Amino acid sequence: SLRILQEIIQNTCFECGGLMRDGISLDNTRITHIDFPGQTDLRGCTETKDGHPVVKNVRKCINCGHSHT
């Protein structure tokens, strides 16, 4: 059935085909930097992942360690 197929997809690693389990990861938040003095429009500004990390729930492969949300 469709439900069984969805469960198989959710529990299979995209990288190696291993078993996925619930896990957590740290994700850095983005910070926007003003590129030029006096700039007020943030469109096109440089963004870096220098912000404080946040904990995210992920699916993590018990075989290769690959994770996804």
Side-chain angles (χ1 to χ4, degrees):
S1 80
L2 181 59
R3 187 174 80 63
I4 293 172
L5 183 58
Q6 288 172 333
E7 190 169 327
I8 290 170
I9 291 170
Q10 181 181 7
N11 291 307
T12 303
C13 177
F14 301 151
E15 295 294 319
C16 76
L19 178 64
M20 301 294 281
R21 295 280 169 101
D22 289 334
I24 59 172
S25 72
L26 291 175
D27 188 24
N28 290 333
T29 54
R30 293 182 184 270
I31 295 179
T32 303
H33 301 277
I34 300 296
D35 294 324
F36 304 102
Q39 185 175 5
T40 58
D41 182 11
L42 297 180
R43 197 176 90 200
C45 286
T46 302
E47 284 191 341
T48 60
K49 285 193 158 193
D50 294 334
H52 296 287
V54 293
V55 176
K56 293 177 72 172
N57 292 323
V58 296
R59 300 288 289 164
K60 189 165 194 68
C61 178
I62 63 172
N63 186 42
C64 73
H66 175 78
S67 61
H68 65 84
T69 56

